[in-house]
Amino acid sequence: MAIDVYVVRVFTDPEGRHGNPLGIVDAAAVAPSARQELARRLNYSETVFVDVPSAPTESTAVRIHTPAAELPFAGHPTVGTAAWLARRGTPVTALDVPAGSVAVRIDGDEVSVRARADWAPEFEIEQLSTVDAVLAVDPARYTDGHHYVWAWVDEAAGRIRSRMFAPDMGIAEDEATGAAALRITAHLGRSLAIEQGRGSQLITTLGDDGWIDLGGRVAAENTRSVPDEESQPV
């Protein structure tokens, strides 16, 4: 037997380039005890297991795994899952993750979710003096923890350039990190336009109530099938 994995890229630029790959799996196809191992095998920065609805509905459950651990919330998995569900004709207005209910909004080709910064992991946030300094950082300097380096591109406009490294999650460098975008937005106390990784783009809007809208574009990549190791002969 094989398991279908639907792959999208989240937080692309307007031309559909870059973005962080996300593996999406029907939760009914994989037992909870086997999900972490499948996420490790797939080796995306995150893989989600979603209760796929049969029709449009208010909400559905999503579980999020990195190659090393399950997360209570993450940004690019929720944005990517919301876009995928809408495009298959089963849109939702919220995603239920262990951290809480994540409201979903779709406006044309942009998808956003509403979440709180304290749902995200803690990051060591380091401001560098220039964009060139951000681009020059060697991921090998980080052997543990979660690290976010950034510099202003245009402070008045709220534009920054960033990169993220998370060895503790099994991720040497993440292409686009919604959870870190929430943390830097709360840290700076303002809405931001973020360019991360090779050129992925994330937008945050800080509300007066502490909730943050996190959004961007999502591009379909492909569908792949992987063997279900639990169904293989011993």
Side-chain angles (χ1 to χ4, degrees), residues 29 56 58 86 106 111 122 126 151 153:
E58 288 189 6
I106 298 178
V111 180
E122 293 280 359
E126 181 181 2
V153 175

Side-chain angles (χ1 to χ4, degrees), residues 110-176:
E110 294 192 2
V111 180
S112 66
V113 298
R114 178 166 293 182
R116 301 192 69 84
D118 58 11
W119 290 357
E122 293 280 359
F123 292 85
E124 293 290 335
I125 296 175
E126 181 181 2
Q127 181 179 1
L128 302 183
S129 57
T130 65
V131 169
D132 285 345
V134 170
L135 299 179
V137 172
D138 182 356
R141 69 186 276 191
Y142 302 108
T143 58
D144 59 14
H146 313 94
H147 303 270
Y148 191 77
V149 298
W150 70 280
W152 288 112
V153 175
D154 184 336
E155 185 171 359
R159 294 176 54 220
I160 70 171
R161 189 72 170 86
S162 69
R163 295 171 69 192
M164 198 283 277
F165 314 95
D168 280 357
M169 295 182 185
I171 303 167
E173 179 171 0
D174 203 27
E175 173 59 29

Side-chain angles (χ1 to χ4, degrees), residues 10-12 58 73-87 91-96 101-116 119 178 181-182 192 201-207 211-219:
V10 186
F11 301 127
T12 70
E58 288 189 6
F73 166 81
H76 105 270
T78 49
V79 171
T81 301
W84 180 77
L85 287 170
R87 290 170 186 174
V92 298
T93 57
L95 296 171
D96 297 326
S101 179
V102 178
V104 171
R105 182 176 63 86
I106 298 178
D107 183 9
D109 65 347
E110 294 192 2
V111 180
S112 66
V113 298
R114 178 166 293 182
R116 301 192 69 84
W119 290 357
L182 297 179
L192 297 171
Q201 297 185 10
L202 307 85
I203 301 294
T204 65
T205 304
L206 178 62
W211 289 84
I212 300 171
D213 287 336
L214 166 69
R217 300 174 181 84
V218 179

Side-chain angles (χ1 to χ4, degrees), residues 5 7 12 15 18 29 50 65 83 95 149 169 191 221 224 230:
V5 182
V7 184
T12 70
E15 287 72 44
H18 312 303
V50 56
H65 290 257
L95 296 171
V149 298
M169 295 182 185
S191 304
E221 184 74 1
R224 55 184 290 200
E230 288 201 343

